[in-house]
Amino acid sequence: MLNRNKVLYIDGHEFRRLFTGGVDWLSQHVDTINNLNVFPVPDGDTGTNMLLTVQKAQSFVDKLADDHIGRMTETLATGARYGARGNSGTILSMLLRGFAQGLAACEVMDAQALSVACRHAVDYAYETVRSVMTPQEGTILTVAEAAAASVESLIQSESNLFKLLDAMIQAAGKTLEETPELLPVLKDAGVVDSGGAGLVALLEGFQQAATGEAVQASVFGTIITRQMSYSANGVAQQTTVTSPPPDDPEGYGYDVQFLMLGDDLDVAKVQADISAMGWSPLVDGDKNMIKVHIHVHNPAVPLDYAIQSGAQLDDIVVENMQRQYEAFASGSQPGHNGENPAATDDIAVIAVVRGDGLHDIFIEYGVTAIVEGGQTMNPSTGDLLAAVDALPNRRVILLPNNKNIILAARGAADISDRQITVVPTQSIPQGLAALLAFGDYKDDASWEMLTEHMHDAAASVLTLEVTKSTRRVDKLGDISIQDGDFLVLADGKASSSSADMFDAILAAFATVDLDQRELVTIYYGADVTSEQTALLIENLHAAYPQLQSEAVAGGQPLYPYVLSIE
Amino acid sequence: MTRIKIIVDSVADIPLSMRQKWDIGLIPTYVNYGGNSYADDGIELDRTAFYNAMPDMGEFPTTSAPSPALAEDILRQSLDGYDHIVAIHVPERYSSTINVTRLAAQEIAPDRITVIDGHSLTAGLGLLGLMAAEKAAETDDVQQIVSLVERVRDQITIYAAIATMTYMQRSGRVNNVVAAVGSILQIKPLLRVQQGDIDVLHRIRTFGRAVDKVRELAHEHTPLERLMVLHIQNEDGANQLKSDLEPLLPQDIPIMEVGPTLGSFIGPGSLGVLVLPQVK
């Protein structure tokens, strides 16, 4: 344990211990953070994404025998880059990278080094985000900036790292509470920023590990409790506590990931059963598909379990974490940047897609490979890199098809040695439009023109996404939402809601400028039938006789309908 | 003085009045539907009636080349008043008509009949026929006409926005197009006809944007020698396109309707343009 009066510096080992405490504390609040979503819909889960990001970071340093804090944080940051998932997870990985760069030359970290590293972390993250989009205030970036500023303001008078960490947590917490004032969508939704909350939880976990005591007055907990009192319908739930990785003579074991496919899967049961098999479990999904992630000593155990449950398995990935670490330590990354002997100059397109029907459509229109994922299942930078590496193509275009996957995709583009461009598609219809443009221009246009055409094609499509609200929100933009309402997002913005799905969709159409629009394509999900869809088309046709409609079986979960208006 | 007669086939889509004005002969192709076979000559088959009936035809119409005997008759009659025939035909890969004419020419008078592959379709062939007839009125040199056709045929480009893929999919004639367009989503392809090839240039979800693209592509060929607007049962669309494109050509832009032989593979609604750039 650290003596809180006297912590003037820490080394790499100690940092790892604190980081582990942070991961553990974050893991205990995953569901709470997941529920801090702006739109009360099943979308990218920030808590899950951040946890997977830091768990990957942790797996890279599990057995790193190095006291050097510069090398320790660099290794952590590298792991985080591979694990980066979702916007907040990806920004967190940037913060870690910048932090590590700030410590590169340091054997140990004192107050001065902490201050420099924090500043570098925040500047690096802002700069990197800025290179692809305008950074938003009221997010994890703002919270990180407050934490860094607090260290800088105290550095002249305070050299005790513990006190500085405490100041960081207080400042981060204060700013987290202010995020709804900075970002109106948060205020409307009655939530604080989820990514910022994850950062506070992570820092607070550092503190717990440092003192060895349970946090008495958790800043995170206080904010969440306060938030629940004013949020219309706070839904913080206590999560299953995940166990930390073992200090085990058997070594690292294996990282096992797979998808279970079925008709009536029991998520809660799979969650409980899988979690009992190992450490760092993450089980997420619905009755048609469950994504399983677990670290175990014997990968056969979870795989056998899943097969015997009667589910179909797909996308099975088993990684030997020992070898991964060794490869990393010896300077050669496993499984990336490797030039395939049959390397080709043809351009590949990789799209993130979920749903059988949507798979078929993307394949029909020429996608080279598909990474399973989308709403609620955001693939990581590492997942996308693995898909790139599996192809022989030197040039690859990534279609994330979801706003929460774009940054992870950019991360993959940064890491890979291949020429990768991310066309930042935010929905399935946008992705398809870009894919069609790819087919039209790939033989004639330069790389820049090609991706620009794809970009333009994506921009020409209006997307409506229909889903069921997971909680009540009194004011989200111009609408109010009851728990269980159908909510329609128009190009990602809340457009309408109603207890009746068709009413919600027609209300959303009423807000759309339909001049110059002639075709509605309806991708219907796994939970609706073609008969229901025919009824929807009848309704649309009655209201908008000038529009043509086309129904396509998308098979996506959670979103009964995704519509494009062109 | 060598008198030269120009002959085309039905795919050239030259209206009857124009054929009469320029004394252009026709070797017709046949459209078969409802148990009958009709010569696509602007007389036997009423195109409006045909297109109107098309969506409800139980079986899709088919097309066939003329018989060699018919082609021989037509060539023989033409040679009565002329010394030489230049026959311009639809490319061999789309129809056997050109081979029927070649065979007939062998039978009759190979040295008095020149058969040329027009490397184009519809108004592309029609334009070649008209330019050849204009030339024939001022020269008695067959070689000059042949050179003209051979030079111009590869400069002609047609862009077409296809309103429906239903007919092409069932025809089995243009499998490269059908494959590129796929079958899961409704696509309005933008096709290019150039040097005898039909290619899918763009796969567009809406007809409106496909027509926008046609308009845009026409501009890329300026300055223009010739420009025509093509349609099938879409006069309003054709008039709109014509007025949009008027700045591109000082002369009046002709509007032409694609006839039943080719139209039976395309179906009603489609719009297109033909462009022939000025020789640089």
Side-chain angles (χ1 to χ4, degrees):
Chain A
M1 283 324 109
L2 297 177
N3 179 332
R4 65 167 65 191
N5 294 318
K6 277 193 189 169
V7 187
L8 298 180
Y9 60 88
I10 61 171
D11 65 8
H13 272 132
E14 180 61 11
F15 189 87
R16 179 174 63 194
R17 198 177 71 75
L18 300 187
F19 194 85
T20 302
V23 175
D24 191 30
W25 190 239
L26 180 63
S27 75
Q28 294 184 38
H29 296 94
V30 162
D31 286 351
T32 307
I33 296 167
N34 283 347
N35 283 319
L36 293 172
N37 48 2
V38 168
F39 294 150
V41 301
D43 57 9
D45 291 324
T46 305
T48 305
N49 286 337
M50 291 181 81
L51 181 60
L52 286 167
T53 304
V54 291
Q55 278 180 341
K56 190 73 172 182
Q58 195 181 24
S59 74
F60 269 57
V61 296
D62 266 351
K63 288 279 163 73
L64 180 61
D66 200 336
D67 284 346
H68 193 283
I69 197 164
R71 288 194 288 269
M72 178 63 73
T73 52
E74 188 205 335
T75 312
L76 267 173
T78 302
R81 280 188 98 191
Y82 282 88
R85 236 174 251 258
N87 287 343
S88 295
T90 307
I91 293 173
L92 181 60
S93 77
M94 293 170 188
L95 287 167
L96 275 169
R97 189 143 196 248
F99 190 81
Q101 287 169 354
L103 291 175
C106 300
E107 197 153 325
V108 296
M109 177 175 76
D110 61 9
Q112 190 62 45
L114 172 67
S115 176
V116 169
C118 285
R119 173 49 49 204
H120 199 274
V122 173
D123 288 352
Y124 176 80
Y126 264 97
E127 195 183 308
T128 311
V129 170
R130 198 171 288 123
S131 68
V132 295
M133 59 173 86
T134 309
Q136 273 191 314
E137 295 305 338
T139 64
I140 185 173
L141 286 169
T142 320
V143 173
E145 167 61 35
S150 72
V151 177
E152 287 172 322
S153 71
L154 289 173
I155 192 72
Q156 296 307 324
S157 57
E158 184 58 73
S159 58
N160 184 343
L161 287 174
F162 183 86
K163 290 219 167 131
L164 290 172
L165 176 59
D166 194 51
M168 287 172 76
I169 293 167
Q170 299 301 329
K174 182 165 175 292
T175 302
L176 175 62
E177 280 207 281
E178 290 165 4
T179 54
E181 300 303 322
L182 296 167
L183 199 56
V185 288
L186 295 175
K187 188 167 189 170
D188 287 350
V191 293
V192 295
D193 178 65
S194 53
L199 183 60
V200 170
L202 190 68
L203 291 173
E204 206 163 70
F206 280 36
Q207 190 178 38
Q208 269 196 77
T211 60
E213 298 162 10
V215 174
Q216 291 299 312
S218 161
V219 171
F220 180 84
T222 308
I223 293 168
I224 297 300
T225 312
R226 213 175 300 160
Q227 134 118 34
M228 282 167 63
S229 66
Y230 72 80
S231 156
N233 181 13
V235 270
Q237 307 154 357
Q238 200 43 46
T239 76
T240 32
V241 177
T242 57
S243 45
D247 183 14
D248 197 313
E250 288 185 62
Y252 296 89
Y254 294 83
D255 178 325
V256 181
Q257 299 179 44
F258 53 85
L259 295 175
M260 293 171 67
L261 308 172
D263 298 326
D264 195 19
L265 303 173
D266 182 345
V267 182
K269 182 172 188 316
V270 172
Q271 223 154 25
D273 292 345
I274 291 285
S275 299
M277 292 173 192
W279 61 103
S280 300
L282 227 130
V283 179
D284 175 33
D286 52 52
K287 65 183 167 65
N288 299 114
M289 181 186 290
I290 298 178
K291 181 152 190 172
V292 173
H293 168 267
I294 179 95
H295 294 176
V296 290
H297 287 303
N298 180 359
V301 175
L303 290 170
D304 282 349
Y305 164 81
I307 290 166
Q308 275 160 23
S309 77
Q312 296 285 315
L313 297 196
D314 201 359
D315 281 0
I316 301 171
V317 178
V318 178
E319 291 177 341
N320 182 328
M321 294 190 288
Q322 176 74 33
R323 287 180 56 84
Q324 247 186 359
Y325 166 69
E326 284 167 2
F328 169 73
S330 69
S332 71
Q333 282 297 319
H336 88 98
N337 297 344
E339 185 93 332
N340 188 305
T344 152
D345 283 334
D346 290 347
I347 301 168
V349 180
I350 299 176
V352 181
V353 180
R354 195 171 167 199
D356 291 348
L358 294 176
H359 273 222
D360 291 348
I361 296 171
F362 273 79
I363 289 165
E364 168 110 4
Y365 292 101
V367 80
T368 318
I370 287 176
V371 173
E372 186 70 37
Q375 308 285 9
T376 79
M377 293 207 323
N378 300 154
S380 70
T381 294
D383 294 340
L384 294 164
L385 272 178
V388 170
D389 290 338
L391 297 175
N393 307 68
R394 291 191 195 93
R395 297 184 296 167
V396 179
I397 293 171
L398 291 180
L399 300 176
N401 297 341
N402 185 301
K403 66 174 173 357
N404 214 27
I405 303 174
I406 294 171
L407 273 184
R410 305 247 201 219
D414 283 347
I415 292 175
S416 180
D417 271 356
R418 306 202 199 177
Q419 185 180 0
I420 299 183
T421 291
V422 178
V423 176
T425 52
Q426 301 197 7
S427 68
I428 286 290
Q430 285 194 356
L432 261 177
L435 182 62
L436 288 172
F438 170 78
D440 294 346
Y441 289 100
K442 68 183 155 84
D443 297 330
D444 307 314
S446 68
W447 178 260
E448 288 73 23
M449 287 304 290
L450 174 64
T451 52
E452 199 180 311
H453 282 304
M454 293 175 74
H455 211 283
D456 291 350
S460 72
V461 178
L462 174 68
T463 304
L464 298 184
E465 290 164 299
V466 184
T467 189
K468 219 170 184 161
S469 164
T470 52
R471 67 166 198 273
R472 196 182 118 200
V473 179
D474 285 338
K475 182 176 171 293
L476 187 62
D478 296 331
I479 66 172
S480 70
I481 301 157
Q482 302 301 315
D483 189 10
D485 265 7
F486 287 95
L487 172 63
V488 181
L489 304 177
D491 276 347
K493 294 186 182 61
S495 172
S496 65
S497 83
S498 168
D500 181 86
M501 182 159 63
F502 288 2
D503 285 352
I505 294 171
L506 285 166
F509 265 81
T511 67
V512 174
D513 177 8
L514 292 171
D515 191 36
Q516 307 287 318
R517 306 271 180 183
E518 57 179 270
L519 175 69
V520 180
T521 310
I522 302 169
Y523 304 93
Y524 58 95
D527 298 327
V528 285
T529 62
S530 58
E531 289 76 18
Q532 280 173 287
T533 308
L535 202 57
L536 173 61
I537 289 178
E538 260 177 51
N539 276 270
L540 281 173
H541 188 71
Y544 303 100
Q546 78 279 18
L547 290 177
Q548 294 177 40
S549 308
E550 181 180 26
V552 184
Q556 72 276 8
L558 301 170
Y559 284 67
Y561 291 109
V562 174
L563 300 94
S564 70
I565 309 178
E566 299 172 68
Chain B
M1 173 80 192
T2 312
R3 292 159 307 159
I4 304 168
K5 168 99 173 174
I6 307 299
I7 283 182
V8 296
D9 59 45
S10 303
V11 181
D13 291 334
I14 303 178
L16 180 60
S17 58
M18 295 283 275
R19 285 208 313 270
Q20 287 166 341
K21 178 180 173 193
W22 289 99
D23 193 22
I24 297 171
L26 180 77
I27 294 182
T29 50
Y30 286 78
V31 179
N32 318 307
Y33 72 101
N36 292 307
S37 187
Y38 305 90
D40 183 8
D41 57 5
I43 301 165
E44 201 171 302
L45 183 60
D46 181 82
R47 72 171 54 166
T48 305
F50 171 77
Y51 284 129
N52 285 343
M54 205 172 164
D56 302 320
M57 287 176 192
E59 278 179 17
F60 266 148
T62 58
T63 58
S64 42
S67 67
L70 177 76
E72 279 178 34
D73 284 351
I74 293 167
L75 293 175
R76 211 173 266 124
Q77 282 161 23
S78 300
L79 285 175
D80 270 354
Y82 292 88
D83 303 306
H84 200 97
I85 292 174
V86 175
I88 303 166
H89 281 297
V90 55
E92 190 176 327
R93 80 178 84 161
Y94 304 117
S95 166
S96 57
T97 306
I98 190 169
N99 285 329
V100 170
T101 304
R102 281 176 184 145
L103 281 173
Q106 288 300 323
E107 287 294 317
I108 304 166
D111 52 343
R112 289 178 65 197
I113 303 171
T114 306
V115 182
I116 310 177
D117 180 331
H119 287 193
S120 193
L121 295 168
T122 179
L125 296 172
L127 179 62
L128 291 174
L130 289 168
M131 289 173 81
E134 288 168 18
K135 195 66 159 178
E138 63 188 47
T139 180
D140 57 4
D141 182 354
V142 172
Q143 192 47 48
Q144 275 197 36
I145 296 171
V146 172
S147 302
L148 172 77
V149 172
E150 286 179 345
R151 181 174 58 77
V152 171
R153 66 181 177 182
D154 289 337
Q155 309 294 320
I156 292 173
T157 303
I158 296 171
Y159 297 110
I162 303 302
T164 169
M165 282 299 293
T166 312
Y167 302 95
M168 271 192 223
Q169 273 158 356
R170 286 180 58 174
S171 76
R173 287 286 178 110
V174 274
N175 290 328
N176 66 318
V177 173
V178 172
V181 170
S183 57
I184 301 181
L185 292 176
Q186 176 185 310
I187 301 270
K188 312 293 187 191
L190 190 149
L191 304 186
R192 180 186 61 193
V193 182
Q194 201 175 52
Q195 299 179 6
D197 295 326
I198 305 177
D199 292 309
V200 178
L201 277 201
H202 298 286
R203 294 170 299 174
I204 299 171
R205 298 297 316 281
T206 65
F207 188 62
R209 275 193 289 127
V211 176
D212 289 345
K213 200 77 201 173
V214 166
R215 201 179 288 121
E216 192 183 314
L217 287 164
H219 281 81
E220 288 182 6
H221 293 266
T222 53
L224 296 179
E225 174 80 36
R226 306 271 185 148
L227 173 62
M228 287 185 193
V229 170
L230 316 180
H231 73 104
I232 301 179
Q233 298 286 293
N234 189 352
E235 224 158 301
D236 291 349
N239 281 319
Q240 181 61 50
L241 196 52
K242 172 180 166 165
S243 80
D244 294 342
L245 295 175
E246 251 150 22
L248 297 189
L249 200 73
Q251 301 89 336
D252 185 49
I253 299 172
I255 292 182
M256 260 211 31
E257 183 167 30
V258 176
T261 298
L262 190 59
S264 66
F265 299 111
I266 302 173
S270 298
L271 283 174
V273 299
L274 172 150
V275 287
L276 175 64
Q278 285 177 15
V279 183
K280 282 161 199 161

